[in-house]
Amino acid sequence: MFGHDHTNRNFSALSSIDRSNVARLRPAWMFQTGITGYFQAQPVMVDGTLYLSTTQNNVAALDAKSGRVLWTYTHKARTEKIFGPPSNRGVAVSGGLVFQATMDGRVIALDAKTGKVVWDHEAVRPEEGESETASGLAQQLGGKPVQGSSRLGFKMPPLVADGLVIVGVSGAGYGLHVEDEKGGLDGGSVVGIEGGYGRRGWLAAYDAKTGAERWRWYVTKADGWEGDFVETTADGVPLHRDVAAEKAAAPANREAWRVGGGSLWMTPAFDPELGLIYLGTGNPAPQNFGLSRPGDNLYTMSLVALDVKTGSLRWYYQQVPHDEWGYDVASPPFLLDLPGKDGAVKAVASASKTGWIYVHDRATGRLIERSAPLIAQKNLFAPPTAEGTVVAPGPLGAVSWPPTAYDAGSGLAYAQVRHGATTYTVKTVPGGPGRPEIRYTETGEAKGEPSFSTLTAVDLAKGGGIAWSVKSASRLAGGTLATAGGLVFSGEEDGHLDAHDVGTGAILWRFQCGAGISGPAITYSLDGKQYVAVAAGGSSYTKASGFGTGDALVVFALPD
C-alpha cells in the first residue's frame, strides 16, 4: 500500500543496497506509460507484481523483475470536468483486488490477476462542485477564463483497513482562479472570493468486496463549526484575528459550513489495535478569505482520529484555526513509538505546512512535542491586507502533500522542506448593475525573499531538534524513502533521484531520470536482489519551473 504499510512511515528494512555500494546503482528496466505529465504515483509491489496508476487513472500490472506488462486497465472518465490536473497518487492492493480512487469521483476495484473491473462505485460527480456564477465573474475580473471552481474528485491512494476501502475528496476548499493567456494562474492565483464557492469535504468507507458505502464523515462540523473563536493556536502561537469582527459577522453566516471546504489530500495512517485512522484535513472555503466564514472552521486544518468501523470522531487537533494562508494538513500522518519516562508512547506525527512536525498521543490527541522550526518563519499568521502581507511559509509549505519517511531505529524523520514566502493581498473589484462588489485575496511569490528546498532530518526521539539539513539544487518533490541500508531517497523536480547518507545528508548517488520526480520512490526485493523504483513524469509545478514532463517508471538495481 501507499507508505509501505499502515504506519505510513515510508521505511524499508531492506539493506542490500547501502552506503557502501549505492554509487553502483544502475537502471534495471523502464516502463513508459504513454501518457506524459503529472505522474505522482507511488507504485505498489505484491508477490512479484508491481501495480502502478498513471495520470488519467490508467493502471498497469508489471513483472517486478523484468518490467514485462502483465495487464493494463484504461480508465474512461465520465466527465472532463475534474478538479485540477489529471494526477493520481497510487493504488492499494488487498485480497486479490487493486483499488483506485479516480479524478472523476469513482472508487474502483480491479482483479489483481487480470485487471478486469470487479466493481465500480460512483462516489461523487465532479460537477457537484461547479459554480454557476463563473462566467459572470470572469467578465467582472477582466474577461479572463475562470477555473478551479471547487470540482470534487479523488487524488489520494486508498487506505484498505478492516475490510474497508477508505478515501476522501479533494477540491472542496478552493475558491475561483483566474487563468492567464498561457492557461496558468494569473499573478499567482486569485482565490478566496467571498461567498459560497467551496464545497463540504468528506471521507468515506466502502465495502472492499462490494463497493457499498459503509460510512461517511464530513470535515466541516454542522453544529458549532465556529468553535471558540480562539486567539492562539493550540500550541500558543498568536493568530492575529479580529475576533470582534468575526463574531459580528457570525449571525449572517450561520450556514457557511455547508460550503466550508476541507479537502483530503493523502492516505490516512491506521492503528489496528486502537481501531483508529489518522488523517489530515485541508483549508476552509472560501480559500484565504475569512470574512464570510467567521469562527475556527472546525474541523478544517486539523489532524483527526476517526473510528475505523463507524467513522465517528475520536479526537482532533486543529493546527490552524480560521486559516487564511492555505496551510492544509496535507502530508500523510505517520505512526511511531516515542520514548518516554514510563516506556514507549504510541504516537502519531504530522509534518506541517506551517514549518513544524507535531507529535501526538495516538489514543487521546494530546500534543507530546513540536519539533524545532524546519524553516525561517516570517510574519506567521499575519492576515492578508490591501497593501500586501509577506508571510513565510506560503501555501505550498514548508511540508506539503509529499510523505515524510521515518526510521524507528534512529528516531529520525526525513522531510522535503520548501523555503519561501508569499505575498497575500486583499483586492476589491467594484460592482455594477446587477453585479455585487467582489473581494478576494490574491497570492503571489514574495519578491526578494529566498526560495529553495532542503532535505531535513528531524530527531523526534530526542525532542524534535534538527539533526541535519542539506540544500538541494532544485525544488524537492514527491517525498522521501528511508531504508535500513543507511539511505534516504529523495526526488527533485529537475529529474534527479538522490540517495543521501542518513547520518549526514551527504549525496552518495544521483541519477537523472529525464523528467521531474513528483512521487515517492519504493524499494523491494525479489530472489535476493533489491530494487528501487520511482515515477518520473513531473507535475504542474515542474512544468511551470521549466523542467520537463515524462511518462516513465524507472527501476534501479545493483549490477550482477
Side-chain angles (χ1 to χ4, degrees):
M1 58 174 294
F2 179 87
H4 186 69
D5 57 27
H6 284 132
T7 67
N8 258 350
R9 290 178 185 169
N10 279 277
F11 176 82
S12 172
L14 298 178
S15 59
S16 295
I17 301 171
D18 61 23
R19 285 174 283 198
S20 70
N21 59 25
V22 68
R24 299 170 52 225
L25 203 60
R26 297 291 185 270
W29 55 265
M30 180 185 298
F31 171 72
Q32 292 180 285
T33 69
I35 301 175
T36 300
Y38 306 113
F39 199 5
Q40 298 178 332
Q42 183 182 52
V44 172
M45 201 284 284
V46 178
D47 296 333
T49 300
L50 269 179
Y51 299 93
L52 177 70
S53 61
T54 73
T55 182
Q56 300 183 0
N57 296 116
N58 297 337
V59 180
L62 311 170
D63 183 288
K65 185 182 295 185
S66 67
R68 180 173 60 91
V69 177
L70 303 177
W71 56 256
T72 59
Y73 161 79
T74 301
H75 185 66
K76 296 181 180 179
R78 295 177 185 173
T79 178
E80 294 182 358
K81 296 180 177 181
I82 64 170
F83 163 67
S87 59
N88 173 266
R89 293 171 180 164
V91 300
V93 183
S94 180
L97 298 176
V98 180
F99 301 100
Q100 181 184 207
T102 72
M103 60 188 179
D104 59 325
R106 292 147 63 188
V107 184
I108 296 173
L110 306 174
D111 186 290
K113 292 184 178 180
T114 67
K116 301 296 183 183
V117 176
V118 176
W119 53 258
D120 181 343
H121 178 84
E122 185 177 70
V124 64
R125 289 185 176 270
E127 54 266 40
E128 288 181 22
E130 189 71 43
S131 171
E132 297 178 357
T133 59
S135 59
L137 284 169
Q139 184 176 358
Q140 197 168 350
L141 290 169
K144 299 176 181 179
V146 172
Q147 57 99 352
S149 52
S150 293
R151 298 175 189 137
L152 303 179
F154 297 112
K155 297 287 186 185
M156 70 164 62
L159 168 68
V160 181
D162 204 39
L164 300 172
V165 182
I166 301 171
V167 293
V169 291
S170 300
Y174 274 62
L176 300 178
H177 300 57
V178 175
E179 294 182 353
D180 60 22
E181 63 275 7
K182 297 180 181 179
L185 297 180
D186 182 42
S189 58
V190 176
V191 297
I193 296 173
E194 184 178 16
Y197 300 112
R199 290 298 180 267
R200 198 180 183 200
W202 50 262
L203 184 85
Y206 303 91
D207 188 287
K209 294 182 179 180
T210 67
E213 184 173 317
R214 295 306 182 201
W215 55 256
R216 182 177 294 204
W217 177 77
Y218 285 94
V219 176
T220 59
K221 181 174 168 58
D223 180 16
W225 99 302
E226 299 87 354
D228 297 325
F229 292 86
V230 297
E231 298 193 32
T232 70
T233 63
D235 48 324
V237 183
L239 288 166
H240 310 293
R241 292 169 65 175
D242 189 343
V243 171
E246 288 183 44
K247 288 184 175 180
N253 293 280
R254 294 296 186 198
E255 303 299 304
W257 60 271
R258 296 184 182 276
V259 289
S263 292
L264 300 167
W265 294 106
M266 289 306 295
T267 309
F270 172 51
D271 184 333
E273 293 183 4
L274 294 175
L276 296 179
I277 59 174
Y278 304 90
L279 62 144
T281 65
N283 60 266
Q287 182 185 10
N288 297 357
F289 197 87
L291 289 181
S292 61
R293 50 171 173 82
D296 300 342
N297 310 143
L298 302 176
Y299 298 104
T300 64
M301 316 306 287
S302 299
L303 180 65
V304 172
L306 303 179
D307 186 289
V308 69
K309 294 183 181 297
T310 65
S312 59
L313 179 70
R314 184 69 60 87
W315 58 258
Y316 75 96
Y317 182 93
Q318 192 172 34
Q319 292 181 8
V320 187
H322 193 72
D323 173 80
E324 295 191 278
W325 307 273
Y327 291 147
D328 311 70
V329 184
S331 185
F334 58 93
L335 306 184
L336 66 159
D337 295 321
L338 200 67
K341 295 180 180 178
D342 300 319
V345 178
K346 291 169 70 71
V348 56
S350 171
S352 73
K353 284 189 175 183
T354 58
W356 291 293
I357 297 179
Y358 300 88
V359 184
H360 302 265
D361 185 294
R362 246 183 268 176
T364 66
R366 175 181 63 88
L367 182 65
I368 299 173
E369 69 179 31
R370 188 187 73 180
S371 74
L374 308 183
I375 71 164
Q377 296 153 325
K378 182 175 183 177
N379 296 330
L380 192 61
F381 305 135
T385 61
E387 298 76 24
T389 302
V390 175
V391 179
L396 294 180
V399 183
S400 188
W401 72 265
T404 295
Y406 177 73
D407 181 351
S410 66
L412 295 180
Y414 305 96
Q416 292 180 330
V417 182
R418 184 178 186 272
H419 302 249
T422 294
T423 300
Y424 297 82
T425 307
V426 176
K427 299 279 183 113
T428 302
V429 178
R435 297 177 186 165
E437 175 184 271
I438 296 176
R439 290 180 294 175
Y440 62 88
T441 297
E442 182 180 85
T443 63
E445 187 172 352
K447 296 180 180 180
E449 296 289 332
S451 180
F452 60 94
S453 290
T454 59
L455 180 66
T456 300
V458 183
D459 193 342
L460 297 182
K462 296 180 181 178
I466 305 299
W468 50 259
S469 186
V470 294
K471 189 175 180 178
S472 68
S474 68
R475 190 161 71 183
L476 299 179
T480 55
L481 163 71
T483 77
L487 301 171
V488 180
F489 290 90
S490 174
E492 300 186 44
E493 70 174 10
D494 71 353
H496 282 99
L497 178 65
D498 305 327
H500 296 257
D501 187 305
V502 296
T504 65
I507 294 179
L508 304 178
W509 169 89
R510 67 197 314 244
F511 185 88
Q512 174 54 256
C513 295
I517 308 297
S518 58
I522 68 162
T523 188
Y524 59 92
S525 181
L526 284 174
D527 298 332
K529 191 178 187 70
Q530 185 179 349
Y531 299 81
V532 175
V534 72
S539 70
S540 58
Y541 299 124
T542 60
K543 187 176 181 181
S545 301
F547 297 108
T549 55
D551 69 343
L553 176 73
V554 187
V555 180
F556 303 90
L558 295 173
D560 294 329

